[in-house]
Amino acid sequence: MFGGEQEPDNYYVGIDVGTGSVRAAVVDQRGVLVAYSEQPIKKWEPQFNHHEQSSEDIWAACCVVTKKVVQGMDLSRIRGLGFDATCSLVVLDKQFRPLPVNHEGDSRRNVIMWLDHRAVSQVHRINETKHSVLQYVGGVMSVEMQAPKLLWLKENLKETCWDKARHFFDLPDFLSWKATGVIARSLCSLVCKWTYSAEKGWDDSFWKLIGLEDFVADNYSKIGNQVLPPGASLGSGLTPEAAKDLGLPTGIAVAASLIDAHAGGLGVIGADVRGNGLICEGQPVTSRLAIICGTSSCHMGISKDPIFVPGIWGPYFSAMVPGFWLNEGGQSVTGKLIDHMVQGHAAFPELQAKATARTWNNSVSE
């Protein structure tokens, strides 16, 4: 309180890029949801196990939903912006233009989605090396991580993509770059999906052993040699160009990004449970398990000391909560499988029509 009156609220914008859509939300300084909007994004499947998206389409969707959620607001009260997204691979050239990640040469499709499984041969060869970095991903690297995808690009699209590529971004980091012009990467993405160590940095021997010595030679500038903890403020904040695109004020603070599941994990692990009568009240955060459900499901827990479990990703130091080790496990496409079951039911078309009509009627009455 000041002068007998309550201070005006500050607001924060969060943008979440999932597998099939982009969501934006505005929350106030107490964490109360003020506004929400969602926009679908395009996906391509040119052949079996190849899943692609467009970084330009994703950014355009971010702009649509953000403009919707801040419509009618006092923009001077917006204090910050944060992104989370799927850990898909974005490829850009020296001028930050999209490069094709496909045999068709379609540069619009410059994103290899997280769920893409084209690099099966590459990940088998990586795992056969038994390199020490693999102990930090449960002993066996997933085909959905970035190293095998990068190796696939080098071996299959050398002239049309690999030789021209200057920037390989995890999608969350692409979005924060797009907003600020800062090419720094988040610890969250690099540690969890790229074999980076928060304590030791990149391991030259790993990249040389798997045939990607290119990154060592240029001091990792293509994949990230400026690394920041999640939530760190990026540069001078939102650039004039990005501010115009998003409908937000120039210069508002933009945070280093998070992977989408990890943003959810942070919210659960760090939730204030005082006075709710929950069993975890009064217990350390290391006693909590976050279960994040979307297209896939992910179980996440943190510890003060590293815990190595075969088949469980991690331990990842400071990737989600500063100073803590993260372990995560789960199942890919569990949510997608539920969708498949529901949509395949004979009653689905009728229920979908009723739900659509109910949504339309509610929006008209409002």
Side-chain angles (χ1 to χ4, degrees):
M1 302 291 287
F2 180 76
E5 295 183 4
Q6 186 173 352
E7 283 287 287
D9 278 339
N10 292 322
Y11 297 97
Y12 303 88
V13 178
I15 300 175
D16 166 49
V17 180
T19 302
S21 65
V22 175
R23 282 83 67 170
V26 176
V27 296
D28 67 18
Q29 60 202 35
R30 293 174 295 275
V32 175
L33 180 65
V34 175
Y36 172 87
S37 182
E38 185 170 354
Q39 177 82 3
I41 48 180
K42 297 174 186 174
K43 300 189 290 282
W44 288 267
E45 189 179 355
Q47 61 191 85
F48 181 66
N49 272 341
H50 288 228
H51 298 270
E52 299 165 4
Q53 289 182 315
S54 159
S55 64
E56 292 184 348
D57 174 62
I58 291 170
W59 178 252
C62 290
C63 297
V64 169
V65 291
T66 304
K67 286 178 176 176
K68 284 183 179 178
V69 293
V70 301
Q71 192 170 12
M73 289 187 62
D74 177 1
L75 299 184
S76 69
R77 306 310 307 174
I78 296 175
R79 293 288 184 257
L81 169 66
F83 294 93
D84 71 68
T86 64
C87 43
S88 299
L89 178 66
V90 182
V91 187
L92 305 176
D93 70 8
K94 184 166 56 176
Q95 285 80 36
F96 294 93
R97 296 175 302 201
L99 285 169
V101 295
N102 48 77
H103 292 295
E104 294 81 12
D106 184 353
S107 60
R108 292 176 305 156
R109 292 151 41 200
N110 69 315
V111 179
I112 300 181
M113 293 181 67
W114 65 270
L115 51 76
D116 186 286
H117 277 216
R118 69 183 66 183
V120 171
S121 168
Q122 287 75 17
V123 82
H124 284 333
R125 279 182 276 141
I126 290 171
N127 286 326
E128 285 170 0
T129 69
K130 300 189 184 303
H131 192 280
S132 59
V133 300
L134 299 178
Q135 67 180 309
Y136 290 91
V137 290
V140 180
M141 182 172 285
S142 167
V143 69
E144 294 175 1
M145 292 182 174
Q146 304 297 13
K149 294 175 182 175
L150 292 164
L151 189 55
W152 186 93
L153 287 173
K154 182 176 182 178
E155 294 177 348
N156 291 273
L157 299 177
K158 193 171 189 306
E159 293 182 4
T160 57
C161 179
W162 185 261
D163 289 344
K164 298 177 181 179
R166 186 64 185 83
H167 304 279
F168 297 97
F169 284 105
D170 217 72
L171 181 55
D173 290 327
F174 163 80
L175 295 169
S176 61
W177 163 77
K178 190 75 174 173
T180 65
V182 177
I183 61 171
R185 309 310 205 271
S186 168
L187 263 180
C188 181
S189 300
L190 290 194
V191 171
C192 295
K193 304 298 176 185
W194 297 70
T195 76
Y196 186 84
S197 167
E199 299 174 300
K200 303 174 185 176
W202 296 110
D203 188 319
D204 294 356
S205 65
F206 170 72
W207 296 99
K208 290 176 180 178
L209 185 62
I210 68 171
L212 290 176
E213 61 283 345
D214 319 49
F215 297 135
V216 182
D218 75 352
N219 192 30
Y220 301 98
S221 64
K222 292 182 180 179
I223 59 174
N225 53 22
Q226 302 172 45
V227 187
L228 293 172
S233 184
L234 293 170
S236 301
L238 203 59
T239 65
E241 182 181 3
K244 183 179 178 182
D245 287 348
L246 294 164
L248 294 171
T250 298
I252 66 169
V254 179
S257 61
L258 284 160
I259 300 169
D260 55 349
H262 299 60
L266 183 63
V268 173
I269 295 291
D272 183 358
V273 297
R274 291 174 295 180
N276 290 316
L278 298 176
I279 194 170
C280 56
E281 185 174 356
Q283 299 298 313
V285 292
T286 50
S287 69
R288 299 184 183 184
L289 176 70
I291 304 178
I292 311 303
C293 300
T295 302
S296 299
S297 58
C298 189
H299 298 62
M300 315 176 86
I302 60 173
S303 58
K304 271 292 187 183
D305 299 305
I307 300 172
F308 294 86
V309 184
I312 299 297
W313 288 349
Y316 299 134
F317 185 61
S318 284
M320 189 173 79
V321 181
F324 287 84
W325 294 84
L326 168 68
N327 286 87
E328 52 178 300
Q331 291 181 301
S332 286
V333 303
T334 45
K336 191 67 175 175
L337 285 170
I338 294 171
D339 282 347
H340 176 72
M341 295 294 291
V342 171
Q343 292 169 8
H345 195 280
F348 177 72
E350 179 186 352
L351 294 174
Q352 185 182 41
K354 288 181 178 179
T356 302
R358 184 180 304 153
T359 302
W360 169 253
N361 290 334
N362 288 342
S363 63
V364 169
S365 63
E366 289 172 1

